[in-house]
Amino acid sequence: MRTRLEVIDAQRQALLDARDDGLFDARMLGSALAALDADQISLELKGGPDG
């Protein structure tokens, strides 16, 4: 599970970098970040990174 959380963190950072480069508009970025947040919350509720 820890690996999946690390992937989510990397994806989040890549999206924020793309935003900084002007590759995403606010709505698209918000949707993508919300999906990552939901995945992260789901994993954490199932037992955290060591669960």
Side-chain angles (χ1 to χ4, degrees):
M1 188 175 324
R2 182 187 326 256
T3 301
R4 179 64 186 132
L5 290 173
E6 290 170 357
V7 168
I8 290 170
D9 285 339
Q11 290 173 320
R12 183 178 289 111
Q13 188 57 52
L15 286 170
L16 294 173
D17 289 345
R19 176 207 56 200
D20 293 344
D21 293 339
L23 301 175
F24 278 99
D25 67 17
R27 181 181 298 179
M28 223 174 165
L29 179 67
S31 294
L33 289 174
L36 290 177
D37 290 345
D39 286 347
Q40 182 175 354
I41 290 167
S42 175
L43 286 170
E44 290 172 347
L45 288 174
K46 290 179 183 177
D50 296 324

